Amino acid sequence: MEAVLGLMVILLGVSHGVETHCDGRQDGAQCYGALGGTVDIQLMDSTSEIPRYHLLKNSLKILFVRNNKVIYNTIAHRSLVFLSNGTFRINNLSITDSGDYTLKSFDSDGTTSSVRTLQLFIQAPVSSVLLVSECLSQGEMRVSCLSEGGDSPQYSWALDGRTLTDAKLLSRKIKNNIIILKQHISGRLVCSVRNNISDVSEEQKTCRFINCTSINGTEILGWMPVNSNSLCIEPTTEPTPVTPTAVGTFWFIFGLKAAVVILSLSGIWIWFTWKKKTILEGPAVPEKVESPDNSVFMIEMSPCSNT
């Protein structure tokens, strides 16, 4: 009946979330379970050779097994006992499941044969990690690692797969979730957040110097995260943009050159036209003959008189 009930709990989906395993065979063991998840506590190797045992939580008996049969289980609605391997599974864990657990084993005559204790801690798992980065004026990079959920989170950093050392940092906060990288440190920066029942990480690339025009036309100049390059307009085939002033100057020079060419051609055409007309019509004023060959000179002779 207990086994059937435990199977029904699993099939109904009560056990969701993170599953953890704890070895409770050593006295003083510390076990961890995820809030809303499942924990398997291995109490012993086998129950077949133990006539009777009790499991107590904070001195309150919650489980009683005798002759390899479950006599009662106070949390049977969300737990299951695997008699073959001595494992006690608790589903849908809550904060109230944290506490001290004591396993008492008895011989056939009722004499206590062993007593072992363990501590169970229930923690909320880390659900997600967000990296918030800011590139400073000289190329330094401030990065904050923010985690959602998670009890007692622990932060660790890596750069290109290696543990980030203080030699590459200007500073780090006590909780280790905010760091400032020195200038010109580049690579893949990873922040990992973990606790005893979860481990989540997030990656961020470091800074680079960007000088470009953004999609909305503004200038981007300075140290930016590497992925900020997507904000820039892709370069075209003509890297130098043509401004309106440049366009006006171009057409002015073009018009001036065209006018010079037209005037030159017009002058040449007028000259050739005049020259042709002069040759066909001849000179307008006849030439003055200085010494004609057929000229006759008339000389008047007066008679001489003898006085």
Side-chain angles (χ1 to χ4, degrees), residues 238-250:
E238 296 183 7
T240 304
V242 179
T243 62
T245 302
V247 172
T249 304
F250 168 78

Side-chain angles (χ1 to χ4, degrees), residues 142-215:
R142 179 189 291 113
V143 189
S144 300
C145 188
L146 309 176
S147 60
E148 182 178 351
D151 293 323
S152 304
Q154 298 178 355
Y155 300 87
S156 61
W157 298 85
L159 184 66
D160 289 336
R162 297 182 179 180
T163 301
L164 186 62
T165 62
D166 289 339
K168 298 181 179 180
L169 295 176
L170 287 178
S171 67
R172 76 165 83 211
K173 298 295 183 180
I174 297 176
K175 291 177 63 177
N176 201 31
N177 66 321
I178 301 177
I179 62 171
I180 299 180
L181 282 171
K182 292 181 178 179
Q183 57 181 272
H184 308 309
I185 299 297
S186 61
R188 295 181 300 105
L189 184 66
V190 177
C191 174
S192 298
V193 185
R194 62 172 301 168
N195 58 13
N196 292 288
I197 44 86
S198 62
D199 188 351
V200 184
S201 62
E202 182 66 21
E203 178 180 321
Q204 167 75 58
K205 292 184 178 179
T206 51
C207 296
R208 60 174 293 188
F209 192 81
I210 294 178
N211 183 5
C212 71
T213 302
S214 68
I215 297 174

Side-chain angles (χ1 to χ4, degrees), residues 21-29 41-46 85-86 103 116-118:
H21 181 270
C22 171
D23 188 355
R25 292 173 296 178
Q26 299 294 324
D27 188 36
I41 306 174
Q42 188 168 3
L43 300 175
M44 57 194 72
D45 294 324
S46 174
N85 60 11
L103 178 65
R116 292 198 304 272
T117 61
L118 64 88

Side-chain angles (χ1 to χ4, degrees), residues 125-145:
V126 178
S127 58
S128 63
V129 176
L130 175 65
L131 284 182
V132 179
S133 60
E134 178 187 2
C135 296
L136 305 181
S137 60
Q138 300 300 319
E140 305 92 344
M141 185 177 186
R142 179 189 291 113
V143 189
S144 300
C145 188

Side-chain angles (χ1 to χ4, degrees), residues 72-141:
Y72 67 84
N73 181 0
T74 60
I75 55 173
H77 62 288
R78 59 185 183 91
S79 67
L80 179 63
V81 180
F82 295 94
L83 298 173
S84 60
N85 60 11
T87 300
F88 184 53
R89 171 177 292 173
I90 307 176
N91 301 305
N92 194 22
L93 291 166
S94 65
I95 295 298
T96 57
D97 291 317
S98 298
D100 297 328
Y101 288 77
T102 302
L103 178 65
K104 290 185 176 182
S105 302
F106 303 90
D107 294 333
S108 56
D109 59 358
T111 304
T112 302
S113 59
S114 67
V115 177
R116 292 198 304 272
T117 61
L118 64 88
Q119 288 181 301
L120 178 62
F121 302 94
I122 307 302
Q123 292 183 337
V126 178
S127 58
S128 63
V129 176
L130 175 65
L131 284 182
V132 179
S133 60
E134 178 187 2
C135 296
L136 305 181
S137 60
Q138 300 300 319
E140 305 92 344
M141 185 177 186

